Amino acid sequence: MRIILYTGKGGVGKTTVAAATALACAERGQRTLVTSTDPAHSLADAFDRPLGPAPTLIRRNLWGQEINERIPVEGGAPSRPKPRGRRRR
């Protein structure tokens, strides 16, 4: 698995570069998920289709989603696993 994260000031083209990178990866046969937390929902505009909080198939090997950062993720953060085995005394 590879994670590519684009960050920077607003208006510099992060969404455009992320969409182009995702499309290139998908065309090479890599299963790709491109995600945006931008409240402007410009990722949906880049692919000319509606996207929501769940991954949506855009084309073969490519899914997109737009996460609203103000809505909590279902289930919240994962809990820390409990230790297994015998406790030392």
Side-chain angles (χ1 to χ4, degrees):
M1 177 191 321
R2 177 184 294 177
I3 297 173
I4 302 172
L5 181 65
Y6 293 104
T7 64
K9 293 174 60 172
V12 297
K14 296 178 299 291
T15 300
T16 302
V17 172
T21 302
L23 187 58
C25 291
E27 287 177 348
R28 281 190 252 146
Q30 298 170 326
R31 291 176 22 160
T32 305
L33 173 64
V34 59
T35 302
S36 174
T37 58
D38 185 349
H41 299 303
S42 54
L43 187 60
D45 294 339
F47 290 112
D48 194 27
R49 67 184 56 220
L51 297 173
T56 301
L57 183 64
I58 296 171
R59 63 182 301 170
R60 186 172 183 226
N61 294 322
L62 179 58
W63 291 262
Q65 72 182 125
E66 292 181 319
I67 300 170
N68 185 338
E69 75 282 357
R70 295 175 194 249
I71 298 174
V73 175
E74 187 175 319
S79 60
R80 190 171 175 185
K82 295 181 181 176
R84 295 184 182 192
R86 293 179 56 168
R87 291 176 63 186
R88 294 185 181 184
R89 295 181 186 194

